[in-house]
Amino acid sequence: MKRGVGQGGYSLREKIFKKLRKDILNGKYKAGDSLVEMKLAEEMGVSRTPVREAIRQLELEGLVSSIPNKGVFVEGITRQDIQDIYAIRECMEGLAARWAIERIDEKTLKELENIYDLMEFYTAKGDLDQVGELNSQFHDIIFESTKSKPLMQVLSDFQYYIENIRLASLKAPGRAMQSLIEHKAIVQAFKDRDIEKGERVLVEHIRNSRLNVERMPRA
Amino acid sequence: MKRGVGQGGYSLREKIFKKLRKDILNGKYKAGDSLVEMKLAEEMGVSRTPVREAIRQLELEGLVSSIPNKGVFVEGITRQDIQDIYAIRECMEGLAARWAIERIDEKTLKELENIYDLMEFYTAKGDLDQVGELNSQFHDIIFESTKSKPLMQVLSDFQYYIENIRLASLKAPGRAMQSLIEHKAIVQAFKDRDIEKGERVLVEHIRNSRLNVERMPRA
DNA sequence: AAATTCTGTATTGTATACAATATAGTTATC
DNA sequence: GATAACTATATTGTATACAATACAGAATTT
């Protein structure tokens, strides 16, 4: 079977959704740009149907807005949005820490430690892209450990929104090492099942990340 | 033009989305039920296309999950989800209060006061459904006043998820009056532009709402 | 009887065809 | 020349047609 969007993953719709979302978040499509179904479909070598469905999902996420019979326009996310997201995370990750420490099982805890070890390794090696990827996994594991669908959904989405800027900010001088230390403290609190400490260090980690991002030069 | 889902609103897809979401939240479709596109389309007198698009959106919201080539199954929201949502709101509405008080304009403030007055009126009258509707509007205005897209999106969705139970809990003896008093304190803090007090009373209001819901008999 | 293959059916996934709407440009009218 | 009505085009909205897949149950083989 030949496909125009690339193999792997599953339905066309899903692949298209992810591709468009990525392209909006990394700036290929800028705020105000119009997305024409037919044009996108041709570019990707598919029909309008899966493109439409992907767009409907982007619409729900607020990444595009659609004016009936007129067109779909990119909303994107602004620098202000990113700051807001950090502020929201700062208050929600405290909850996440609490719930995760209460509910995480030994196997997942080991996984978390393992990811931390890899972060250590790749930080020493200087492969920050890899560290960024591990960073996402690290926090995703915490989200999932909360066993809370509402919390997971919000935080996972937000984490994806800010992935690019987060990756860039990891490259600020000294930040990678500082971030590593913070993750170490988080892992330790989880191993000790110390809820109060876990809340504190995780929130502090988010705050430091936010401050680091705010110090960054505007893209 | 004749339409099968009822006039008003806009596109079929949007109406179908709202209808399905409502039916999931009020329990017409229970967790585990399968949603068959063709069946829904026939019931509503439309084609599969808009139904599919609505389902894709529900999927993104996590209200249904879809297994490729097999079917779409209702996830619904559990009692645990609702408790989690209250916990999340409890920490996020502090932020909301802060940002809203900083950014709300006089006109919107007046609107908020106006809604409060109406709540007072309908509470006295005993029309709790009306009070519930005003309650939603009251909090939506606060969300919008934050001018924060990420915060608005999360809190508006969550507010809708718990609307039914919130309405039911308003009917607990004494709760309506207590809720009214809490809203009065919120309005006052907004008028005084007293951020600290606003945070405190709004968070307290959410906590009381949560406690009230937790005391409710299980549906 | 157990295991395997086949086949039919239900359902979704994708493509295409047709309808409705918005907009811009053009022509007609004053 | 300004304004209004018309027309053409671009785009989305909806419906239908066709393809792929999953699954259950029958037929077949061992």
Side-chain angles (χ1 to χ4, degrees), chain B residues 55-114:
Chain B
I55 287 179
R56 293 286 84 81
Q57 297 192 307
L58 294 171
E59 193 184 352
L60 201 73
E61 285 216 330
L63 290 175
V64 305
S65 68
S66 141
I67 300 176
N69 293 307
K70 192 169 170 212
V72 173
F73 302 91
V74 174
E75 292 287 334
I77 63 172
T78 65
R79 212 177 161 87
Q80 182 63 51
D81 289 338
I82 290 173
Q83 287 190 14
D84 289 357
I85 287 174
Y86 269 107
I88 292 168
R89 283 187 71 189
E90 212 169 309
C91 89
M92 277 186 68
E93 298 251 2
L95 257 188
R98 168 175 295 275
W99 288 345
I101 291 176
E102 280 172 355
R103 296 166 197 175
I104 196 169
D105 57 71
E106 284 304 323
K107 184 168 154 288
T108 313
L109 186 54
K110 278 269 173 289
E111 213 177 317
L112 197 68
E113 289 182 57
N114 193 43

Side-chain angles (χ1 to χ4, degrees), chain A residues 10 13 52-53 56-57 59-62 68-69 76 81 84 87-88 91 99 148-151 153-154 158, chain B residues 10 13 52-53 56-57 59-62 68-69 76 81 84 87-88 91 99 148-151 153-154 158:
Chain A
Y10 210 77
R13 176 236 323 158
R52 275 185 71 79
E53 296 187 352
R56 293 287 83 82
Q57 296 191 308
E59 193 183 352
L60 200 74
E61 285 217 328
N69 294 307
D81 290 337
D84 289 356
I88 292 168
C91 89
W99 288 344
S148 167
K149 199 172 70 168
L151 184 140
Q153 208 152 326
V154 172
F158 279 166
Chain B
Y10 210 78
R13 174 234 327 158
R52 276 184 70 79
E53 297 187 350
R56 293 286 84 81
Q57 297 192 307
E59 193 184 352
L60 201 73
E61 285 216 330
N69 293 307
D81 289 338
D84 289 357
I88 292 168
C91 89
W99 288 345
S148 167
K149 199 173 68 169
L151 185 141
Q153 208 152 326
V154 172
F158 280 166

Side-chain angles (χ1 to χ4, degrees), chain A residues 25-115:
Chain A
L25 291 177
N26 71 23
K28 177 173 168 186
Y29 299 119
K30 294 180 191 62
D33 286 1
S34 88
L35 296 182
V36 179
E37 291 171 10
M38 200 54 200
K39 213 174 124 213
L40 293 172
E42 274 171 14
E43 276 172 22
M44 305 194 224
V46 298
S47 80
R48 276 176 60 205
T49 308
V51 174
R52 275 185 71 79
E53 296 187 352
I55 287 178
R56 293 287 83 82
Q57 296 191 308
L58 293 171
E59 193 183 352
L60 200 74
E61 285 217 328
L63 289 175
V64 307
S65 68
S66 138
I67 303 176
N69 294 307
K70 191 167 172 216
V72 173
F73 302 90
V74 175
E75 292 286 335
I77 63 172
T78 65
R79 211 177 164 88
Q80 182 64 50
D81 290 337
I82 290 173
Q83 287 190 14
D84 289 356
I85 287 173
Y86 270 105
I88 292 168
R89 284 187 68 187
E90 213 167 310
C91 89
M92 278 187 67
E93 299 251 1
L95 257 188
R98 168 174 297 275
W99 288 344
I101 290 176
E102 281 171 354
R103 296 166 198 175
I104 196 169
D105 57 70
E106 284 303 323
K107 184 169 154 289
T108 313
L109 187 53
K110 277 272 173 286
E111 213 177 317
L112 198 68
E113 290 181 56
N114 193 42
I115 287 181

